């Protein structure tokens, strides 16, 4: 997240407490898009905060460390937890992306999750796009976030179909129904 937005990487690990977020504007075709990128805490004790951060999301990036099997094994839990707490209108088509991070560590010699294993998991969960990344080396970070942005934008267009024909505002002449006359 910080590599993508600020082009900075810190070796000092700082656990996310609750959530952290950044924004970035980018041009996609003719449209100027503002991404709000939320990093939610991975620890189980913060899971109850998820609903507040997940609702209204247009895409979810699941990130794991290619050198830590447990982080990969948690993908399924985080995938299910996101769908449960975000309550998207169609959970089967909600867009996800998976990032296998830290491919730079030890030149790849400490890697425990193969590309094939990750790709198989993504394929079996609705053909989720998969990227291998290194935040430290800035490898594939821009490409991954561009895919996230395009996926979110495509998802937004599909949702807009449901709101066609509904007026955005009420004119002064239309009667107000009940409640406050403010």
């Amino acid at each position: 997240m910080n590599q993508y937005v600020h082009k900075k990487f810190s070796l000092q690990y700082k656990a996310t407490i609750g959530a952290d977020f950044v924004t970035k504007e980018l041009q996609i075709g003719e449209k100027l898009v503002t991404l709000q990128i939320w990093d939610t805490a991975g620890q189980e004790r913060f899971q109850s905060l998820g609903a507040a951060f997940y609702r209204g999301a247009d895409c979810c990036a699941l990130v794991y460390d290619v050198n830590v099997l447990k982080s990969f094994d948690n993908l399924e839990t985080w995938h299910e937890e996101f769908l449960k707490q975000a309550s998207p209108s169609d959970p089967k088509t909600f867009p996800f992306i998976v990032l296998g991070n830290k491919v730079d560590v030890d030149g790849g010699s400490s890697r425990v999750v193969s590309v094939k294993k990750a790709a198989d998991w993504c394929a079996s969960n609705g053909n989720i796009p998969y990227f291998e990344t290194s935040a430290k080396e800035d490898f594939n970070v821009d490409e991954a976030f561009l895919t996230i942005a395009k996926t979110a934008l495509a998802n937004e267009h599909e949702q807009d179909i449901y709101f066609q024909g509904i007026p955005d505002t009420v004119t002064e002449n239309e009667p107000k129904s009940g409640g406050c006359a403010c």
Side-chain angles (χ1 to χ4, degrees), residues 1 3-4 9 61-67 97-108 111 113 115 118 129-148:
M1 184 172 91
Q3 179 62 263
Y4 177 62
F9 177 83
L62 301 170
V63 183
Y64 75 95
D65 181 339
V66 299
N67 307 291
I97 186 168
V98 173
L99 307 180
N101 196 32
K102 299 189 180 183
V103 296
D104 60 280
V105 174
D106 295 332
R111 181 184 192 125
V113 181
V115 173
Y130 175 65
F131 286 85
E132 300 244 307
T133 60
S134 167
K136 181 180 179 184
E137 301 295 327
D138 194 16
F139 172 71
N140 246 359
V141 173
D142 287 351
E143 294 82 356
F145 275 97
L146 182 59
T147 298
I148 290 167

Side-chain angles (χ1 to χ4, degrees), residues 55-113:
R55 292 204 196 277
D58 295 309
C59 183
C60 176
L62 301 170
V63 183
Y64 75 95
D65 181 339
V66 299
N67 307 291
V68 180
L69 185 59
K70 185 170 174 43
S71 70
F72 177 78
D73 290 341
N74 283 335
L75 284 181
E76 189 67 37
T77 302
W78 286 111
H79 184 259
E80 290 173 11
E81 191 65 27
F82 178 88
L83 290 173
K84 185 172 95 179
Q85 291 194 36
S87 301
S89 58
D90 187 357
K92 287 183 171 65
T93 62
F94 187 87
F96 284 86
I97 186 168
V98 173
L99 307 180
N101 196 32
K102 299 189 180 183
V103 296
D104 60 280
V105 174
D106 295 332
S109 63
S110 61
R111 181 184 192 125
V112 295
V113 181

